[in-house]
Amino acid sequence: MAYDIILFTATAGTRLNIKPYGAYKCAHELRSAGYRVLVVNHLHKFTLDELKHIIDRTVSDSTLFVGVSNTFLIAEDNLSKRSLTNSIGEFQVDFVDYIKERNPNCKIVVGGANTTYNFNNPLVDYAIIGYGDLSIVNLA
């Protein structure tokens, strides 16, 4: 099934099992506004090939954007390459390039507690600062 918006998120650390409420709150608000939304949790557990499989099944010409929460990713061991922070890693480039192959008009959005006003990453089209539940609907 194709979605208008796909939100990737992660749980808080490997020892904690805290549900990423922010992504689910954003998804709820988007669905209330009529958008088809998928939340994919445990981003930090997927390989690039597994993520490509998810993208193949969910991203279409009608997908507006793919969002990535960076709240918990930076805290994970060896996952700085997977978070869409200011630094750019090969994993990020491959992930974003694959999304753009599926839909060149699909935007990349990042948000979460670690997104600041000085956020700068050329792979990201939009950064949402602070609580995103209203901003993300306006963006959509």
Side-chain angles (χ1 to χ4, degrees), residues 3 23 29-31 33 46 57 61 78 81 83-84 88-89 93-94 99 107 111 120-121:
Y3 292 88
E29 295 299 330
L30 287 162
R31 289 178 186 129
F46 290 106
R57 298 181 65 100
D61 291 342
N78 289 326
K81 66 179 180 178
S83 63
L84 290 175
I88 300 172
V93 172
D94 292 344
I99 293 167
K107 302 299 181 192
N120 183 17
N121 183 322

Side-chain angles (χ1 to χ4, degrees), residues 9-11 13-17 40-48 50-51 54 73 76 79 82 91:
T9 188
T11 53
T14 55
R15 290 176 290 266
L16 302 174
N17 192 16
V40 179
N41 200 1
H42 305 290
L43 172 60
H44 59 290
K45 298 290 186 182
F46 290 106
T47 66
L48 183 59
E50 290 169 330
L51 289 171
I54 292 168
L73 290 177
E76 289 288 334
L79 285 178
R82 292 189 179 204
F91 185 92

Side-chain angles (χ1 to χ4, degrees), residues 4 15 23 25 80 83 85 110 139:
D4 299 314
R15 290 176 290 266
K25 174 65 173 162
S80 60
S83 63
T85 61
V110 70
L139 180 61

Side-chain angles (χ1 to χ4, degrees), residues 18-92:
I18 299 172
K19 188 173 184 174
Y21 291 109
Y24 288 96
K25 174 65 173 162
C26 289
H28 169 75
E29 295 299 330
L30 287 162
R31 289 178 186 129
S32 295
Y35 294 99
R36 296 168 297 162
V37 183
L38 173 68
V39 177
V40 179
N41 200 1
H42 305 290
L43 172 60
H44 59 290
K45 298 290 186 182
F46 290 106
T47 66
L48 183 59
D49 286 338
E50 290 169 330
L51 289 171
K52 286 179 178 182
H53 181 72
I54 292 168
I55 291 163
D56 285 341
R57 298 181 65 100
T58 59
V59 173
S60 72
D61 291 342
S62 65
T63 303
L64 301 172
F65 61 83
V66 171
V68 177
S69 170
N70 67 17
T71 299
F72 301 121
L73 290 177
I74 293 173
E76 289 288 334
D77 297 336
N78 289 326
L79 285 178
S80 60
K81 66 179 180 178
R82 292 189 179 204
S83 63
L84 290 175
T85 61
N86 290 345
S87 62
I88 300 172
E90 184 179 337
F91 185 92
Q92 290 180 26

